[in-house]
Amino acid sequence: MVSFRFPFSFSQPPNPTPATPSSATSRPFTAAVTLAAGAAAFAGVAAVTHTNPTNPFLQNALNFFLADRSLPLWGSLSLNDTPASVVDSKTGVSFPSVLDGTRRLLGIGLRRKRVLGLKNIDVYAYGIYADDIDVKKLLSKKYGKLSLSELKQNKEYNDVLLETDIGVTVRLQIVYGKLSIGSVRSAFEESVGTRLQKFGGSDNQELLQRFTSQFKDEIKIPRGSIIDLSREPGYVLRTTIDGNDVGSIQSKLLCKSILDLYIGEEPFDKQAKEDVKLNLASVLQE
Ligand code: DAO
Ligand code: DAO
């Protein structure tokens, strides 16, 4: 198995018997890497293109360590200097490094689902983005001075993206080819329903229904579909499918319940959450 030797990293050495097979431990790591400049323990990704062709040195440097599957700690790069996109080597899905101008990619994960108690299917790959400006404005003062090991032990920091009114987008890219709206709805009632109950108590049927009623029967979500779940300022959850708005709901509880799937206590992909924390710390130390 692979060991990390980053100068600093939240990532633990892979557990040989991961609780969920979805974690990035199954991704093809190849080597232990020590990068003085700092590189994120960003699982199974490689950059494909770069937005700054006028700077061949930077581009080469990026290609050098991105090709091996790492993403730079963003702290060393401005939004303009980040690679244009990042490919998840597990699914082959590509994620833009920046969405909507200021939302920066902080981690990539995989949602798997066990069907009939038998096999796991890969349902979608997802990218987690947070608004750079909000992050700096709302978190730098409090966390910018802390070292990575201090942040690692900081309980509040663990949930900071969940709890703070920062623009966050989770982009889902469907990889499973046979998703029906019915199965989406029932998976959703299970995963999000559990969270609504956890955070809000029992009486949340109405909220859940308000959300699922956005998913009309005629919507098709074939392989390759892109669903963006965005928390906008004021705790508005906005959903788009392939760029088309399907609805917005103002609810702190709903926002938290959705984001909890990805960056909460029991995320679909633990490594993705660790990467988010690490990359966020890097942004905060700019
Ligand atoms: O076809 O029997 C089957 C399995 C379907 C699994 C569906 C999982 C849905 C997960 C939610 C997807 C949200 C876009
Ligand atoms: O993976 O269990 C899960 C929950 C995923 C939440 C995704 C909800 C958005 C689904 C939009 C489908 C549109 C028909």
Side-chain angles (χ1 to χ4, degrees):
M1 274 264 153
V2 175
S3 63
F4 291 118
R5 279 189 280 118
F6 294 98
F8 35 71
S9 167
F10 285 124
S11 298
Q12 302 300 317
N15 179 344
T17 50
T20 51
S22 63
S23 86
T25 50
S26 57
R27 289 179 193 167
F29 283 84
T30 47
V33 179
T34 305
L35 287 169
F42 207 106
V45 295
V48 280
T49 46
H50 194 269
T51 48
N52 189 1
T54 55
N55 185 341
F57 173 77
L58 183 59
Q59 183 165 4
N60 287 342
L62 282 169
N63 287 342
F64 169 71
F65 66 93
L66 293 174
D68 195 40
R69 95 300 177 258
S70 301
L71 202 67
L73 277 181
W74 293 127
S76 54
L77 296 171
S78 76
L79 280 179
N80 289 335
D81 284 335
T82 58
S85 57
V86 173
V87 175
D88 173 31
S89 65
K90 183 99 199 292
T91 56
V93 166
S94 163
F95 288 91
S97 304
V98 180
L99 270 188
D100 302 329
T102 52
R103 293 197 182 188
R104 197 195 279 263
L105 180 62
L106 299 177
I108 292 177
L110 181 61
R111 160 68 153 136
R112 308 186 85 199
K113 171 128 179 103
R114 195 158 187 81
V115 283
L116 305 173
L118 281 174
K119 57 169 186 173
N120 285 307
I121 51 172
D122 294 354
V123 185
Y124 55 81
Y126 59 89
I128 301 164
Y129 297 77
D131 191 285
D132 236 47
I133 296 167
D134 290 351
V135 164
K136 287 179 183 133
K137 198 166 71 191
L138 297 172
L139 304 181
S140 282
K141 209 163 151 206
K142 185 158 181 191
Y143 298 102
K145 300 243 169 350
L146 301 184
S147 70
L148 284 156
S149 62
E150 285 168 330
L151 285 176
K152 195 178 169 184
Q153 285 157 22
N154 188 310
K155 263 192 149 27
E156 243 181 292
Y157 178 72
N158 187 53
D159 288 333
V160 76
L161 271 190
L162 205 60
E163 302 290 349
T164 318
D165 193 10
I166 285 173
V168 171
T169 298
V170 182
R171 167 163 288 195
L172 322 183
Q173 299 209 49
I174 308 298
V175 294
Y176 183 62
K178 290 180 280 185
L179 263 193
S180 67
I181 284 293
S183 62
V184 172
R185 264 201 216 108
S186 59
F188 190 82
E189 278 164 13
E190 187 187 319
S191 60
V192 184
T194 317
R195 266 75 174 188
L196 286 172
Q197 224 159 46
K198 174 174 153 190
F199 298 125
S202 51
D203 192 21
N204 291 297
Q205 267 318 98
E206 191 268 336
L207 188 56
L208 190 65
Q209 257 156 29
R210 209 150 34 109
F211 189 74
T212 52
S213 67
Q214 298 178 125
F215 314 147
K216 306 276 181 277
D217 287 336
E218 57 274 18
I219 297 178
K220 297 269 179 295
I221 35 174
R223 187 184 161 85
S225 302
I226 295 180
I227 300 171
D228 284 344
L229 302 166
S230 302
R231 182 179 67 193
E232 305 298 345
Y235 300 99
V236 173
L237 184 78
R238 185 159 77 94
T239 307
T240 67
I241 301 179
D242 293 328
N244 301 311
D245 252 301
V246 298
S248 292
I249 294 176
Q250 201 275 331
S251 162
K252 199 169 175 176
L253 176 61
L254 183 64
C255 288
K256 185 169 176 180
S257 300
I258 297 268
L259 293 184
D260 188 74
L261 303 170
Y262 308 100
I263 51 174
E265 210 176 309
E266 304 255 350
F268 288 139
D269 190 324
K270 290 192 170 66
Q271 186 65 51
K273 179 183 171 182
E274 292 308 308
D275 289 340
V276 167
K277 284 165 60 182
L278 178 66
N279 281 307
L280 187 67
S282 157
V283 171
L284 286 171
Q285 292 184 345
E286 271 172 38

